[in-house]
Amino acid sequence: LLWGNNMLNVPPTLDLNNIKYVYSNRAAVAFIYDNPPRGKNTIGAFGSPTLGGVVPVAIQTPLLFDPPMAIYATEYAFAVLTHEGRVYAWGNPTTGGTIPGNIADQLMYMKVERIVCTASAFCAIGPERFGDPEIKLVVTWGDANGGGNILAPEMETIIDQDGVDQVVANRNAFCAITKRRKK
């Protein structure tokens, strides 16, 4: 059931049945289907196309083989986390809707377990795929002024402190508690 200003532009071909989870940002709604038929999209979206209202085919295709677990939102972008710990993003590039190549490379070597968001940046948390599963690292992208750029000294501290235990966010920044500082 939909109502409100943003809900009037739903494409008539978009299937709004069999939905398990719904997520939103400021200009769009994204959702995960519950047991979609084989070969059909596993997620969908509507709203402003440039702000996350359309899921690109380049994201839909890999999700057919590695199903979505959760979707996360900044103000104008979405990121989907898969069961295998992969991450894909879409929406406004300045608020995390595009994962830069160097960040995508880092994410490929991680098994992302969760994502935390500010209004304009994402922070993926998880161990290296072939490293110690107890050492959780972070990778950020999006607006640098909104937490989307973790600097080398901070990352070195996280590694030296045996990874993160918890990450939280406010509107424009992330805060991490490392495993050693937790004690």
Side-chain angles (χ1 to χ4, degrees), residues 39-75:
K40 295 288 186 181
N41 290 340
T42 57
I43 64 174
F46 61 88
S48 173
T50 59
L51 303 177
V54 175
V55 182
V57 173
I59 293 172
Q60 293 284 18
T61 302
L63 294 178
L64 295 173
F65 306 99
D66 183 9
M69 190 166 63
I71 295 175
Y72 302 86
T74 61
E75 196 166 41

Side-chain angles (χ1 to χ4, degrees), residues 21-25 28-32 43-45 51-56 59-60 63 66-83 85-93 95-100 103 107 112-125 139-142 174:
Y21 301 112
V22 178
Y23 309 86
S24 68
N25 68 18
V29 173
F31 50 88
I32 298 175
I43 64 174
L51 303 177
V54 175
V55 182
I59 293 172
Q60 293 284 18
L63 294 178
D66 183 9
M69 190 166 63
I71 295 175
Y72 302 86
T74 61
E75 196 166 41
Y76 296 119
F78 292 106
V80 60
L81 175 61
T82 72
H83 281 274
R86 302 283 185 211
V87 178
Y88 305 95
W90 73 97
N92 183 304
T95 60
T98 299
I99 302 174
I103 301 301
L107 289 169
V112 177
E113 295 175 345
R114 64 188 186 275
I115 296 174
V116 178
C117 316
T118 66
S120 59
F122 293 102
C123 177
I125 303 141
V139 173
T140 60
W141 71 96
F174 294 105

Side-chain angles (χ1 to χ4, degrees), residues 1-10 24 28-29 46:
L1 180 62
L2 310 170
W3 65 92
N5 291 339
N6 262 0
M7 303 303 152
L8 301 176
N9 297 326
V10 178
S24 68
V29 173
F46 61 88

Side-chain angles (χ1 to χ4, degrees), residues 8 16 20 26 61 66 69-70 77 87 99 105 128 134 157 174 181:
L8 301 176
L16 293 179
K20 187 173 186 176
R26 194 166 175 176
T61 302
D66 183 9
M69 190 166 63
V87 178
I99 302 174
D105 291 344
E128 291 181 334
E134 296 300 314
T157 300
F174 294 105
R181 292 290 180 187

